[in-house]
């Protein structure tokens, strides 16, 4: 093989590797849990954190699978879903910039639900093994993760209770408010079909409920976009279906502020 052939072979085998996005302090602090960590603790995680784009519909993990990565959303919103054997889906919780998705504190632990990106954006991820190692060191990180887990459990419990005892309108109000809490504006890009899938109800029921809320001046709905006009009215309509879990996350934020 001559020099030209060697050079050509080397060029063909070479694959360009895109530089890894740099994780900055201000970028990491867009996630409330990471932002609550003492600076020196947060900086020790930088070598393991990776900024990733989270497109709409991306599945972060599936029920029964090992959770290789932990995701800390910054601008994305992730739904935790339970999928039945017949394909029926129900949302059991939602996670945004206030939380974390995929915490696996035991090696070989399997996912008890599926996680799918519902609103595109960005997040920071790290391998589960690195989080376990950081957790084992004790300090602020495990304390925050356990506190967040309590708030997340409250959301799941309230969703279970609301699913049985709340009206369609209350469920819809709670669903919208959960997303507003994790969104930068009072407008949401979402279809009635998606909402019906997440809530596990008929699309016609969502259409009727959205129409009722619009008639009462709480929201406007047009071409897959919902804008909330009266948040306080929406909260009053949702009642306990929203307030219990919201109060738990408010307490979480107070605890985070004290760190």
């Amino acid at each position: 093989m001559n020099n030209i052939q060697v050079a050509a072979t080397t060029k063909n085998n070479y694959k360009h590797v895109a530089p890894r996005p740099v994780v900055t302090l201000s970028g990491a602090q867009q996630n409330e849990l990471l932002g609550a960590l003492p600076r020196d603790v947060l900086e020790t995680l930088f070598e393991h954190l990776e900024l990733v784009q989270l497109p709409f519909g991306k599945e972060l993990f599936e029920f029964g699978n090992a959770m290789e990565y932990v995701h800390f959303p910054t601008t994305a919103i992730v739904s935790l879903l339970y999928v039945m054997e017949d394909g029926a889906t129900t949302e059991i919780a939602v996670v945004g910039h206030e939380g974390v998705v995929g915490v696996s504190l035991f090696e070989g632990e399997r996912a008890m639900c599926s996680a799918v990106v519902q609103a595109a954006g960005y997040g920071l991820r790290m391998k589960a093994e690195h989080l376990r190692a950081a957790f084992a060191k004790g300090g602020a990180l495990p304390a925050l993760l356990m506190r967040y887990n309590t708030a997340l459990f409250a959301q799941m419990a309230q969703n279970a209770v609301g699913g049985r005892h709340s009206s369609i309108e209350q469920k819809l109000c709670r669903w919208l408010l959960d997303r507003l809490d994790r969104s930068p504006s009072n407008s949401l890009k979402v279809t009635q079909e998606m909402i019906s899938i997440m809530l596990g109800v008929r699309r016609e029921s969502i259409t009727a409920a959205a129409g009722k809320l619009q008639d009462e001046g709480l929201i406007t709905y047009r071409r897959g976009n919902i804008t909330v006009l009266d948040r306080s009215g929406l909260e009053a309509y949702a009642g306990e279906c929203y307030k219990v879990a919201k109060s738990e996350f408010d307490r979480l934020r107070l605890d985070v502020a004290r760190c």
Side-chain angles (χ1 to χ4, degrees), residues 21-23 27-28 30-32 34 50-56 58 60 70-78 95-101 117-125 182 184:
V22 177
V23 176
Q30 289 183 54
N31 178 274
E32 293 181 34
L34 293 178
E50 177 186 6
L51 177 65
V52 291
Q53 187 173 7
L54 299 175
F56 170 76
K58 179 178 177 59
L60 303 185
V70 179
H71 288 80
F72 295 88
T74 53
T75 58
I77 299 177
V78 179
V95 182
H97 55 73
E98 84 295 343
V100 58
V101 180
V117 178
Q118 193 175 90
Y122 289 87
L124 295 160
R125 76 174 185 180
R182 296 161 175 84

Side-chain angles (χ1 to χ4, degrees), residues 8-124:
T9 301
T10 302
K11 182 178 180 180
N12 289 336
N13 290 336
Y14 175 77
K15 293 182 179 180
H16 176 70
V17 178
R20 178 175 172 176
V22 177
V23 176
T24 64
L25 182 65
S26 60
Q29 289 176 334
Q30 289 183 54
N31 178 274
E32 293 181 34
L33 290 183
L34 293 178
L37 291 173
R39 180 167 178 168
D40 59 329
V41 175
L42 178 55
E43 289 179 345
T44 63
L45 301 179
F46 277 9
E47 64 177 304
H48 304 302
L49 288 170
E50 177 186 6
L51 177 65
V52 291
Q53 187 173 7
L54 299 175
F56 170 76
K58 179 178 177 59
E59 187 174 70
L60 303 185
F61 54 80
E62 186 179 3
F63 172 81
N65 288 354
M67 294 179 286
E68 183 180 2
Y69 288 98
V70 179
H71 288 80
F72 295 88
T74 53
T75 58
I77 299 177
V78 179
S79 287
L80 302 185
L81 308 171
Y82 188 83
V83 183
M84 304 289 288
E85 290 184 359
D86 63 0
T89 302
T90 300
E91 182 179 79
I92 58 176
V94 61
V95 182
H97 55 73
E98 84 295 343
V100 58
V101 180
V103 174
S104 174
L105 298 181
F106 302 99
E107 189 173 354
E109 188 175 349
R110 300 286 172 174
M112 298 302 293
C113 64
S114 297
V116 178
V117 178
Q118 193 175 90
Y122 289 87
L124 295 160

Side-chain angles (χ1 to χ4, degrees), residues 213-225:
L213 297 180
Q214 183 166 252
D215 290 342
E216 295 186 16
L218 300 179
I219 66 171
T220 58
Y221 178 79
R222 183 177 300 173
R223 295 181 181 178
N225 287 281

